[in-house]
Amino acid sequence: FHIGEREEKCIIEDIPSDTLVVGNYKVQRWDIHKHDFLESAPGLGMFVTVTSPSGEVLLSKLYGPQGTFSFTSYLSGEHIICFQSNSTRFAVIAGSKLRIHLDIRVGEHFLDESAIQAKDKVNEVNVRLEHLIEQIHHVTKEQDYEREREEKFRKTSEETNSNILWWAIVQTLILISVGIWQIKSLRDFFISKKLV
């Protein structure tokens, strides 16, 4: 995505509780002379701020032009991940655009391939098996979180449907009572004017 040099950009990630999140990013600055983005942006850093659904700041740190950040979610819900450059140029001068390449991995643990190759085949199978078990636990946790969200959504839908039904009943009663009042008022009016 693209942002201005002094602009803040936030991304919302829906993450289950107790989940490791790893993010890799790389910043490129627009070059006016080449009319292209430079491969790297030396001297330019990024403030990365992560906020939990309860508003608690989980991570707030300054990184370089490319880096890796990680955090563990303690609550399930929408986490806000914000990026802002550490540019100190004035807003009038700092009109440069930045391109940010971002890769966010939720609940994934990476295998160190060089460590696996150094071990014998039994240990390799054991490590891969442990990695698969971790992935199974993550998938199970993700499914539980989705079930919880679906149940909350279903309850909200049922409450809304119930409220709509009661609102329709109240509207019908109001309409009937206004109709009866109008009929009675018209009848009294016609009787008082001796039209009936």
Side-chain angles (χ1 to χ4, degrees), residues 105-121:
R105 297 178 188 243
V106 178
E108 190 164 323
H109 301 280
F110 301 103
L111 292 174
D112 185 7
E113 293 296 329
S114 61
I116 291 175
Q117 290 173 357
K119 296 180 181 181
D120 59 20
K121 293 292 183 187

Side-chain angles (χ1 to χ4, degrees), residues 145-156:
Y145 177 62
E146 291 300 325
R147 272 192 217 103
E148 176 185 315
R149 285 185 58 199
E150 189 270 333
E151 183 178 331
K152 184 191 268 186
F153 179 75
R154 191 178 67 243
K155 283 181 182 177
T156 304

Side-chain angles (χ1 to χ4, degrees), residues 6 8 23 27 33 42 51 59-60 65 71 82 86 107 120 124 129 134 139 151 155 162 180:
R6 296 184 52 99
E8 181 180 42
V27 180
H33 305 296
T51 309
L59 173 72
S60 181
F71 65 93
C82 295
N86 68 341
D120 59 20
E124 181 181 342
L129 186 62
E134 278 185 29
V139 168
E151 183 178 331
K155 283 181 182 177
S162 174
I180 292 172

Side-chain angles (χ1 to χ4, degrees), residues 73-115:
S73 64
Y74 297 104
L75 294 173
S76 58
E78 294 181 341
H79 290 69
I80 301 171
I81 304 169
C82 295
F83 296 89
Q84 185 176 19
S85 73
N86 68 341
S87 175
T88 56
R89 297 179 2 176
F90 292 113
V92 177
I93 302 170
S96 181
K97 286 284 182 191
L98 301 175
R99 177 187 286 169
I100 299 177
H101 301 272
L102 178 63
D103 179 27
I104 295 178
R105 297 178 188 243
V106 178
E108 190 164 323
H109 301 280
F110 301 103
L111 292 174
D112 185 7
E113 293 296 329
S114 61

Side-chain angles (χ1 to χ4, degrees), residues 45-56:
M46 293 298 286
F47 284 108
V48 179
T49 307
V50 179
T51 309
S52 71
S54 65
E56 177 187 352

Side-chain angles (χ1 to χ4, degrees), residues 170-184:
V170 167
Q171 280 183 324
T172 304
L173 291 176
I174 289 172
L175 269 166
I176 290 172
S177 60
V178 167
I180 292 172
W181 176 77
Q182 282 182 337
I183 291 171
K184 184 181 179 316

